[in-house]
Amino acid sequence: MQWTLVVPVKPLARAKSRLSDTADDGVRPGLALAFAQDTVAAALACPAVADVAVVTDDPRAGRELAALGAGIVAGEPGGGLNAALLHGTAVVRAARPESPVAALNADLPALRPAELALVLAAATQFPRAFLPDAAGIGTTLLAAAPGRELSPAFGTDSRARHRASGAVELRLDAVDSVRQDVDTGDDLRTALALGVGPRTAAVAARLLIVGQ
């Protein structure tokens, strides 16, 4: 089974505000884009992934991610992450009604295709399933089988909210790169230790230069 991944990317100028202690306003948009580029590139390299649909109205993000091979879903409806995911899923399902769909965070710069494949293989066993983030509070991936609604509940305490919605929590070892989203400076340091993609590494090197 091959999956379509729906990846929401908010306007870069407003992205990653919690990284303000690590990256200033001039750097954060490029850092957020680098996260998304490395996430999408790794996802497209995963044999379990048929395609990636990026939901964004940011022109720069759309252009750069399309260049990697992602499909761009414009017309983001507003209303936050869950509304964007519902919009993207509706577009995907209109074209391919029987496609299994998974929402994937755009801030997984250490993502490894083989680990993503393990998560998606586990998700095929359930109508809906999710992977909690490294902090054990949020969610980095939410999957829905063909014919099942995604029903995203991202936001505060999304791990508990997705579990309460009936989605099965995937309990897997050796998939740290799929769990490690980046919201804070500490998250970024952990991702760098795991090994990030080339675009994030390049921007992170600039941060180290700025900090010297």
Side-chain angles (χ1 to χ4, degrees):
M1 180 184 292
Q2 284 194 305
W3 294 74
T4 293
L5 303 187
V6 181
V7 179
V9 177
K10 68 168 59 175
L12 298 176
R14 296 193 285 106
K16 296 299 160 192
S17 59
R18 290 172 62 191
L19 278 168
S20 59
D21 62 342
T22 303
D24 63 30
D25 292 348
V27 174
R28 278 201 311 278
L31 188 60
L33 176 59
F35 291 168
Q37 288 174 299
D38 286 335
T39 299
V40 168
L44 287 168
C46 175
V49 174
D51 54 6
V52 174
V54 172
V55 184
T56 190
D57 278 336
D58 187 289
R60 181 184 176 195
R63 182 174 61 252
E64 297 294 339
L65 296 171
L68 293 176
I72 306 302
V73 178
E76 188 174 349
L81 177 59
N82 293 314
L85 288 170
L86 288 171
H87 173 59
T89 301
V91 171
V92 167
R93 285 271 170 85
R96 296 181 297 281
E98 296 306 314
S99 176
V101 173
L104 182 71
N105 288 10
D107 58 352
L108 299 169
L111 185 64
R112 295 174 183 142
E115 293 183 12
L116 177 59
L118 290 174
V119 175
L120 293 173
T124 62
Q125 302 173 52
F126 307 103
R128 290 175 64 243
F130 73 96
L131 187 74
D133 65 8
I137 298 170
T139 303
T140 57
L141 181 144
L142 173 67
R148 299 284 184 160
E149 297 296 329
L150 187 65
S151 301
F154 287 86
T156 304
D157 297 327
S158 67
R159 179 185 187 183
R161 294 169 66 190
H162 283 133
R163 188 189 296 127
S165 77
V168 174
E169 180 174 327
L170 298 174
R171 302 177 183 274
L172 301 171
D173 296 322
V175 293
D176 290 348
S177 76
V178 197
R179 297 184 189 274
Q180 189 57 62
D181 54 354
V182 176
D183 289 315
T184 68
D186 285 343
D187 293 338
L188 179 55
R189 283 185 280 275
T190 301
L192 288 168
L194 284 174
V196 296
R199 299 161 188 85
T200 301
V203 180
R206 288 175 53 202
L207 292 178
L208 295 175
I209 291 170
V210 170
Q212 289 177 351

